[in-house]
Amino acid sequence: LVNELNLLVAKIKSIEYNKSLLQRELITLDKKVSGYINEFLVFRKRFMDQYDAVDEKSKEQNRPFFEGVKKELSLMESDFTKHTIDFNRYGLGIMVDAVLNKIVKVNLIVDTGASVIVISKEIAKRLGLDFTNKETSTILVTLADGSKVKAYPTILESVKVGDVEVKNVRTAVLQNSQATEEDGLLGMSFLEKFIIKIDAKSNKLILEEFNP
């Protein structure tokens, strides 16, 4: 029994260590991507400032060069998109408006600790999802307060937050209608598509897409 306990403790420490490593790698990657975007924006501004300062004769003489650079800048700019979304405070967390399957409006708590989107049983009914007569296997999901509850796995055809839409999103429907007071959680099955930043002063959730 002692050996089993020691093995379990060692396993937990290993998981925590790996999690810590992944978090550090994520921070490093985020800095690199943000650095690339900032450097690109600075270069684009400098080029356009210099282009505007050139006289028309020089522009005409060097038109192929200028047009070529402007075209490349346009292609590079399409590599990333920045979305800014208003949020409301929810205790120590934040909440955003979302539309599920293009028909149901909900309020979701942003939770990077949730691996998938989580919705209440009531929201599932409004979406036409019914698990009462199905022998569907359940999964355990972690709520914003850290508690674990049973839920039914499903796929939402569309999840839209602000002007950002992600399709075919992994989702969990809470088995117990009393498991959460809110509509649900905006988890990583949606958020993993973006670089996530929060502007606490202006209550803005910033989602950056990077697709080089």
Side-chain angles (χ1 to χ4, degrees):
L1 183 59
V2 173
N3 287 337
E4 291 180 1
L5 180 60
N6 288 335
L7 287 173
L8 181 58
V9 171
K11 186 175 182 180
I12 292 173
K13 289 183 177 180
S14 176
I15 292 173
E16 291 176 344
Y17 176 73
N18 289 333
K19 180 181 178 181
S20 178
L21 283 179
L22 289 173
Q23 288 175 333
R24 287 200 293 269
E25 289 178 6
L26 181 61
I27 291 172
T28 301
L29 181 60
D30 178 59
K31 287 182 178 179
K32 288 182 178 180
V33 172
S34 297
Y36 167 80
I37 294 174
N38 290 334
E39 287 178 6
F40 168 77
L41 293 175
V42 170
F43 174 79
R44 183 185 64 178
K45 184 179 185 306
R46 286 178 178 174
F47 173 80
M48 295 308 299
D49 287 345
Q50 291 181 11
Y51 174 78
D52 292 338
V54 172
D55 60 77
E56 292 301 321
K57 182 177 180 181
S58 296
K59 284 183 181 178
E60 187 61 35
Q61 290 176 340
N62 297 281
R63 186 168 299 279
F65 167 75
F66 285 126
E67 292 300 322
V69 174
K70 288 169 68 175
K71 182 179 179 180
E72 288 300 319
L73 287 175
S74 179
L75 290 173
M76 291 173 67
E77 188 174 12
S78 66
D79 288 345
F80 57 88
T81 308
K82 181 178 180 179
H83 307 277
T84 303
I85 300 157
D86 294 325
F87 69 75
N88 297 312
R89 298 285 179 173
Y90 181 81
L92 297 177
I94 64 175
M95 181 183 292
V96 294
D97 297 331
V99 179
L100 309 181
N101 287 357
K102 299 183 179 181
I103 54 173
V104 177
K105 295 182 179 180
V106 295
N107 296 316
L108 300 179
I109 301 169
V110 176
D111 186 359
T112 56
S115 59
V116 299
I117 283 182
V118 178
I119 59 174
S120 68
K121 200 172 182 180
E122 287 71 19
I123 297 300
K125 289 180 180 178
R126 289 168 57 188
L127 288 165
L129 302 174
D130 183 10
F131 300 93
T132 56
N133 297 319
K134 297 179 181 179
E135 295 182 358
T136 307
S137 60
T138 59
I139 59 175
L140 282 178
V141 298
T142 303
L143 300 182
D145 62 1
S147 62
K148 293 184 181 294
V149 296
K150 289 184 178 181
Y152 299 105
T154 189
I155 300 290
L156 291 179
E157 294 178 4
S158 166
V159 176
K160 189 172 184 180
V161 179
D163 62 349
V164 185
E165 183 179 18
V166 177
K167 296 183 178 180
N168 300 319
V169 186
R170 291 178 293 113
T171 303
V173 178
L174 296 175
Q175 189 180 51
N176 183 351
S177 60
Q178 303 302 318
T180 179
E181 297 178 0
E182 304 303 326
D183 296 335
L185 307 176
L186 186 66
M188 291 306 294
S189 54
F190 178 92
L191 296 171
E192 66 186 1
K193 312 292 182 183
F194 311 97
I195 299 169
I196 308 163
K197 298 179 180 178
I198 296 175
D199 185 341
K201 291 184 178 179
S202 59
N203 286 359
K204 303 290 185 183
L205 172 67
I206 301 170
L207 302 178
E208 295 179 343
E209 293 182 81
F210 183 60
N211 301 296

